[in-house]
Amino acid sequence: MLSLNELWFVLVAVLFTGFFFLEGFDFGVGMSTGILAKTDGERRLLINSIGPFWDGNEVWLLTAGGAMFAAFPNWYATLFSGFYTPLVLLLLALIGRGVAFEYRGKVEKQSWKKTWDVIIFTGSLLPPLLLGVVFTDLIQGLPIDQAMEMRASFFGDIVNVYSVVGGLTMVLLCLVHGLLFATLRVSGELQDRARKMARNLMVPLAVMVVAFLTLTYFNTGIFEVRGGILMAVIAVIIIAFALAALFSGKKKDGWAFGMTGAVIALTIAFFFIGLFPNVMVSSIDAAFNLTLTNAASGHYSLKVMTIVALSLLPFVLGYQIWSYFVFHKRVHEKHLEY
């Protein structure tokens, strides 16, 4: 039976998994507005395809951060202070992206729209890149001392070849995920181009995944501890990835989208399985690792949080499922307001 510490570690992992699965296609669609859409109308269609969802999807990230703060305050403090610069950039990107969605159509002027289009593209590309870098650094190890303080250099400790590969892999994965989501929400030529672009990106994505896994083997010690279960996760990722390519080729867009979602979910599971029972790994000394024990809140706090979370979670999930059901239909040019 799971202890409360382990339960909350799993809950944090689930929240990040939900965020990357849901917001991942938001980011992918946002990036596609800059590389897939050819006209202003197509950009508006793509933006409208995620219009009812994007702000709700971001709540998963806020909830994950809040859960870390309450359940693992030492993890939260070390992570957010050590990654101050990347997380500020992440926050600015998300703010700019949200503002751009709201203000892009307020003025009928091309220079105005192009400015917000750049912000939408950048604000959709930076978050998966930065979060990919952060998660990669977590399993690689960082200079954390005995006082649980992380003193990392931006270039070297945070930004390095391995973390950049991890970040770019996450960007490509979200882009493919978003393109496949677009095939479910638009129609006609735009849908065909989205499907074709997703298929064309499968090969470079596969190359990036192989590069990331290879670097993970040589740059971390996670395979020495949990090699068996991690290899099983990798095997399922490969199967899901192959099925995504197969379904996309057969124009079974819903199944293809589900498979890229499975790849994302399994990738986040890979990170958290590799971390367990640590939450942050010290590159100075393993004795300085932040663990489920030394980073956690007291037993009473975890108990109260568990009761509250289990009481409210069904309502939150029910509302989000309902919103996706209500807005499940495709968007068409006739829905655009002129």
Side-chain angles (χ1 to χ4, degrees):
M1 185 175 178
L2 292 177
S3 67
L4 288 178
N5 301 53
E6 292 168 341
L7 174 62
W8 276 95
F9 180 79
V10 172
L11 287 176
V12 170
V14 169
L15 288 169
F16 274 110
T17 301
F19 168 75
F20 278 104
F21 180 93
L22 297 172
E23 192 69 2
F25 70 71
D26 274 355
F27 292 144
V29 172
M31 286 184 275
S32 72
T33 61
I35 60 177
L36 176 68
K38 294 181 178 180
T39 65
D40 180 66
E42 289 184 346
R43 291 187 187 90
R44 293 174 67 186
L45 279 175
L46 290 171
I47 292 171
N48 285 3
S49 73
I50 58 174
F53 313 126
W54 67 267
D55 49 354
N57 293 342
E58 287 184 0
V59 173
W60 286 77
L61 179 62
L62 299 176
T63 307
M68 289 174 61
F69 173 76
F72 301 101
N74 290 326
W75 182 13
Y76 178 92
T78 303
L79 178 70
F80 279 72
S81 61
F83 284 104
Y84 186 83
T85 300
L87 292 178
V88 166
L89 292 175
L90 169 66
L91 181 62
L92 292 175
L94 291 175
I95 291 173
R97 180 173 179 265
V99 172
F101 284 145
E102 299 296 333
Y103 279 82
R104 181 186 184 276
K106 298 298 183 182
V107 177
E108 289 297 327
K109 190 176 180 181
Q110 285 303 310
S111 59
W112 172 272
K113 291 183 177 180
K114 287 181 179 179
T115 300
W116 292 117
D117 287 340
V118 170
I119 294 174
I120 289 173
F121 177 80
T122 306
S124 299
L125 184 149
L126 280 179
L129 175 64
L130 293 170
L131 288 171
V133 167
V134 169
F135 272 83
T136 303
D137 284 333
L138 289 181
I139 59 174
Q140 179 177 225
L142 294 152
I144 301 171
D145 60 24
Q146 191 173 9
M148 298 185 181
E149 292 186 8
M150 176 179 150
R151 303 184 183 279
S153 60
F154 187 77
F155 293 104
D157 293 319
I158 295 177
V159 178
N160 49 68
V161 173
Y162 176 45
S163 65
V164 170
V165 170
L168 292 176
T169 302
M170 188 59 71
V171 168
L172 265 180
L173 184 53
C174 288
L175 177 56
V176 172
H177 192 48
L179 288 168
L180 291 174
F181 178 78
T183 64
L184 299 173
R185 295 283 287 160
V186 300
S187 57
E189 182 189 353
L190 183 59
Q191 180 192 39
D192 293 336
R193 293 208 316 271
R195 187 184 297 115
K196 182 179 179 181
M197 182 175 287
R199 290 201 302 267
N200 291 341
L201 289 173
M202 291 288 185
V203 172
L205 176 56
V207 171
M208 291 301 298
V209 169
V210 170
F212 171 73
L213 292 174
T214 302
L215 290 173
T216 300
Y217 181 82
F218 288 106
N219 285 272
T220 73
I222 62 175
F223 285 99
E224 298 174 7
V225 180
R226 306 193 178 278
I229 188 170
L230 289 177
M231 291 304 297
V233 172
I234 291 172
V236 180
I237 288 176
I238 293 172
I239 293 171
F241 187 84
L243 287 174
L246 176 65
F247 287 134
S248 180
K250 293 186 176 182
K251 297 185 178 181
K252 295 184 178 180
D253 300 318
W255 285 100
F257 173 73
M259 289 301 102
T260 54
V263 171
I264 288 178
L266 290 166
T267 300
I268 303 305
F270 177 88
F271 281 110
F272 279 93
I273 292 170
L275 271 178
F276 185 86
N278 301 306
V279 293
M280 292 188 76
V281 177
S282 173
S283 59
I284 299 175
D285 192 326
F288 302 156
N289 289 354
L290 273 67
T291 68
L292 297 184
T293 303
N294 63 19
S297 295
H299 179 80
Y300 181 77
S301 297
L302 293 176
K303 182 178 179 180
V304 172
M305 288 168 52
T306 302
I307 296 172
V308 173
L310 293 179
S311 300
L312 296 179
L313 186 60
F315 297 98
V316 175
L317 291 178
Y319 170 77
Q320 190 140 31
I321 292 171
W322 175 80
S323 68
Y324 276 91
F325 173 76
V326 170
F327 297 104
H328 71 281
K329 294 183 179 180
R330 297 181 185 273
V331 292
H332 300 277
E333 289 187 4
K334 64 182 180 180
H335 297 143
L336 299 179
E337 296 179 3
Y338 291 94

